[in-house]
Amino acid sequence: DKEYAESQSSDNNSGGSRSAPDWDFLPGQYEFTATIIAQVLEDGVAISESGDILAAFDADGNVRGVSVEQGGLGPFDGQILHEILVFSNADGDEISFQYYDASEDEVLAVDESYTYVINDLLGGLLSPYTLNAGAPDLSCGECSDNDAGVAPFTCASAVASFGCDFMWGGAP
């Protein structure tokens, strides 16, 4: 079972998990906000559970916002959505997202990015903005080997299991 601990600080967004990422930031550094209410999917299936976190980052890797959980309405009733205020000082910043899946204790890359617009509103509790999370980002090049060469894995699952260099215990 996953261990949880009460936060020692009100600024912490780890959801009580000892191993959740510490995506803290200072919103007072920024003048403007945009609001995104998102549903996070993996392989077309909603994956949000209590304790999961969605975070926004600028091109330099600085945290620009961290989500709070919201309950969906209408067709999304009973689902956890993520409301995130994204902070900036100007239009045009390229924003990327990462998703912490507390049940798996891993950070997933999100496929979509966002070009910041001051006072923008994307999604709502009745019609959330869709973000697609995937496998952990290993920053590997395209896997173009013959899948038969890495059986019983596919090329993609071999990279996910062994890394970009296919090293297992220090040996290829």
Side-chain angles (χ1 to χ4, degrees):
D1 288 335
K2 189 162 183 61
E3 293 183 25
Y4 291 91
E6 290 301 314
S7 172
Q8 299 297 313
S9 144
S10 61
D11 316 11
N12 186 310
N13 64 352
S14 68
S17 171
R18 290 185 179 164
S19 56
D22 190 19
W23 287 329
D24 288 335
F25 76 112
L26 300 172
Q29 299 178 64
Y30 304 102
E31 185 176 356
F32 304 110
T33 62
T35 303
I36 299 173
I37 299 176
Q39 177 187 45
V40 180
L41 305 177
E42 185 174 30
D43 296 325
V45 176
I47 61 170
S48 294
E49 295 178 352
S50 183
D52 292 357
I53 305 167
L54 176 67
F57 299 86
D58 65 20
D60 294 326
N62 299 308
V63 177
R64 291 294 191 92
V66 177
S67 69
V68 294
E69 295 175 5
Q70 298 288 338
L73 299 174
F76 299 94
D77 185 37
Q79 293 186 33
I80 294 175
L81 304 178
H82 293 271
E83 180 179 0
I84 184 168
L85 290 177
V86 181
F87 291 80
S88 183
N89 287 323
D91 282 331
D93 288 346
E94 285 302 314
I95 303 295
S96 63
F97 301 94
Q98 292 182 23
Y99 183 76
Y100 174 69
D101 183 339
S103 66
E104 298 296 324
D105 193 28
E106 66 183 358
V107 175
L108 302 174
V110 172
D111 296 338
E112 294 77 16
S113 62
Y114 166 68
T115 302
Y116 189 85
V117 176
I118 295 170
N119 295 326
D120 203 5
L121 174 60
L122 295 178
L125 297 177
L126 285 167
S127 60
Y129 184 70
T130 301
L131 294 173
N132 294 283
D137 182 9
L138 300 175
S139 299
C140 297
E142 182 180 340
C143 189
S144 59
D145 292 342
N146 181 339
D147 284 344
V150 292
F153 296 96
T154 65
C155 193
S157 65
V159 169
S161 297
F162 303 112
C164 299
D165 56 5
F166 292 93
M167 297 291 280
W168 179 263

